[in-house]
Amino acid sequence: MKKEKVAIVWHKAWNDRTQSFSFFRNLLKQKFEVSEVDGLSWTKNKHDNIKQLNSNDFKLIIFCQVLPTATYLSKLNCKNFVWLPMWDGQNGLRLAILKSLFYKKYNLKVICFSKRSYDWLNPFFKCKYFQYFPKPKKQVSFDKPKLLFWERRENMSYPFIRNNLINEDDFDLITIKQTIDIGKPSNIKTTKKIKIINKWLTKKEYAKVLSNHNVFIAPRLKEGIGFSFLEALERGYCVIANNDATMNEYIIDKKTGLLFDYNNPTKLSINKDLIKKIGTNTMNYIKKGHLQWNKQKKYLIQWISK
């Protein structure tokens, strides 16, 4: 039986690089024939992908992160839409709420992978909340505390981490991955303890790095879904994160991770017994969550297919 066609509109180059939404794309492919369309053009108010979207008989068009204007939607032949908002794009969420009346005439469904996003948008849109859990991987060793930190933003730099959150003496190894999204990387000197990775790694290379650590500091103050820290949780890491979504929707402080207040941080005391206890709790939590996700994802596909 021939599969119905679905388009997913997103920043294709970024997703090809990070594989952030590969789980969702792969889920769609189980039921649909999926076409990926670069959404960068309409975020700059250029509607040059409308022709591409109208040249195929799509049953459904899915917009990742940014919701286009109602004017843009009116130019599309397909009238069934799904929006995947991200909590780290709060300005976009606020704008969508302000203009929500303009979307009422469209069959627009909203899938929220953050409870905070759902709570904001549900009064104004047809929403469902789903919490994604990755498949558990082999748990890391807790012989000695070993820290991995991805420096992505200047406001969550390694100097901030060192000065406000951790004591370097608590760790046997500190690895800093300096592939920054915005701004410039910090000037950090390598030592016998501190190692620097300053290039993008392949998935296989990064998996090897992940297998050699057991403490991870989430690189951003808030996340859309949070694959960077989920990749650590799925290996039973002790994850340290700012107390905001989506991190605090997965992490229970001192049970499945450690949460801190970015505006009022205090130094954390890290030791082998603590991270082993948290890592064990985390692994059990991820296993249960993944079973829950396997049930939820079937309903997700059914819901967007209606």
Side-chain angles (χ1 to χ4, degrees):
M1 184 176 177
K2 191 174 182 180
K3 293 181 177 180
E4 292 178 302
K5 294 181 179 180
V6 165
I8 182 164
V9 184
W10 55 12
H11 190 330
K12 192 173 182 304
W14 179 252
N15 282 284
D16 286 345
R17 189 176 195 181
T18 63
Q19 295 294 302
S20 296
F21 277 91
S22 59
F23 85 97
F24 189 72
R25 177 182 55 202
N26 294 340
L27 177 60
L28 291 173
K29 285 183 176 180
Q30 294 176 20
K31 183 176 175 62
F32 303 107
E33 179 185 328
V34 179
S35 296
E36 298 177 54
V37 178
D38 191 5
L40 194 59
S41 57
W42 53 259
T43 61
K44 295 179 179 178
N45 295 318
K46 296 178 182 178
H47 292 184
D48 55 4
N49 59 17
I50 288 179
K51 184 177 180 180
Q52 183 181 358
L53 290 170
N54 283 341
S55 63
N56 291 276
D57 185 22
F58 290 119
K59 172 187 173 64
L60 183 67
I61 299 176
I62 300 169
F63 298 98
C64 181
Q65 295 182 299
V66 180
L67 179 64
T69 64
T71 301
Y72 175 92
L73 296 184
S74 70
K75 296 180 180 181
L76 297 173
N77 295 335
C78 175
K79 299 303 178 185
N80 298 313
F81 307 110
V82 171
W83 176 35
L84 275 61
M86 297 290 112
W87 178 246
D88 57 337
Q90 288 180 9
N91 288 337
L93 270 62
R94 291 188 182 97
L95 184 61
I97 290 169
L98 287 172
K99 297 186 175 183
S100 59
L101 287 175
F102 294 102
Y103 295 100
K104 293 295 184 183
K105 63 180 178 180
Y106 298 104
N107 182 24
L108 173 64
K109 296 174 181 176
V110 181
I111 295 175
C112 296
F113 288 107
S114 162
K115 183 64 165 55
R116 292 287 296 279
S117 297
Y118 173 81
D119 290 341
W120 273 33
L121 295 170
N122 189 49
F124 306 95
F125 294 92
K126 191 187 299 182
C127 292
K128 293 289 183 184
Y129 167 58
F130 300 92
Q131 189 173 29
Y132 168 72
F133 279 87
K135 185 178 180 179
K137 290 185 168 54
K138 182 180 178 181
Q139 185 157 26
V140 293
S141 169
F142 295 101
D143 53 343
K144 296 176 182 178
K146 298 176 183 178
L147 173 66
L148 175 61
F149 173 59
W150 179 6
E151 189 178 63
R152 292 185 64 179
R153 301 291 175 98
E154 287 184 332
N155 61 358
M156 270 290 283
S157 65
Y158 183 69
F160 171 84
I161 300 299
R162 179 184 57 213
N163 295 334
N164 296 282
L165 289 180
I166 67 164
N167 297 296
E168 289 182 338
D169 290 342
D170 288 345
F171 297 94
D172 187 65
L173 171 66
I174 298 172
T175 300
I176 304 161
K177 182 173 176 281
Q178 285 192 311
T179 46
I180 199 160
D181 296 340
I182 299 173
K184 296 180 180 180
S186 303
N187 184 17
I188 305 166
K189 293 182 179 180
T190 58
T191 66
K192 288 184 178 180
K193 177 181 288 190
I194 299 175
K195 309 299 179 186
I196 305 293
I197 299 172
N198 55 15
K199 65 174 184 176
W200 277 94
L201 302 176
T202 65
K203 203 161 187 175
K204 187 176 181 180
E205 289 171 336
Y206 189 52
K208 187 176 181 180
V209 172
L210 282 166
S211 68
N212 194 39
H213 298 77
N214 45 37
V215 179
F216 183 82
I217 299 179
R220 301 205 297 168
L221 300 183
K222 54 176 65 70
E223 286 286 0
I225 298 179
F227 286 94
S228 57
F229 76 86
L230 285 174
E231 285 182 311
L233 287 180
E234 72 186 6
R235 291 168 169 84
Y237 266 63
C238 171
V239 173
I240 301 169
N242 182 44
N243 189 10
D244 201 343
T246 59
M247 292 84 72
N248 62 7
E249 297 175 359
Y250 289 90
I251 296 171
I252 302 170
D253 190 33
K254 297 181 178 62
K255 291 185 178 180
T256 57
L258 298 170
L259 296 172
F260 66 89
D261 180 352
Y262 179 78
N263 295 313
N264 187 27
T266 57
K267 288 259 186 174
L268 302 169
S269 180
I270 305 296
N271 58 69
K272 183 174 73 173
D273 292 338
L274 175 66
I275 63 173
K276 184 176 181 179
K277 177 184 175 182
I278 288 176
T280 301
N281 292 340
T282 297
M283 207 65 190
N284 292 331
Y285 175 65
I286 289 293
K287 287 176 181 177
K288 291 178 182 177
H290 186 65
L291 291 174
Q292 172 190 310
W293 165 246
N294 280 337
K295 295 176 182 177
Q296 281 192 333
K297 68 184 183 182
K298 296 176 183 177
Y299 175 64
L300 185 156
I301 291 296
Q302 291 174 359
W303 186 61
I304 65 173
S305 300
K306 292 178 182 178

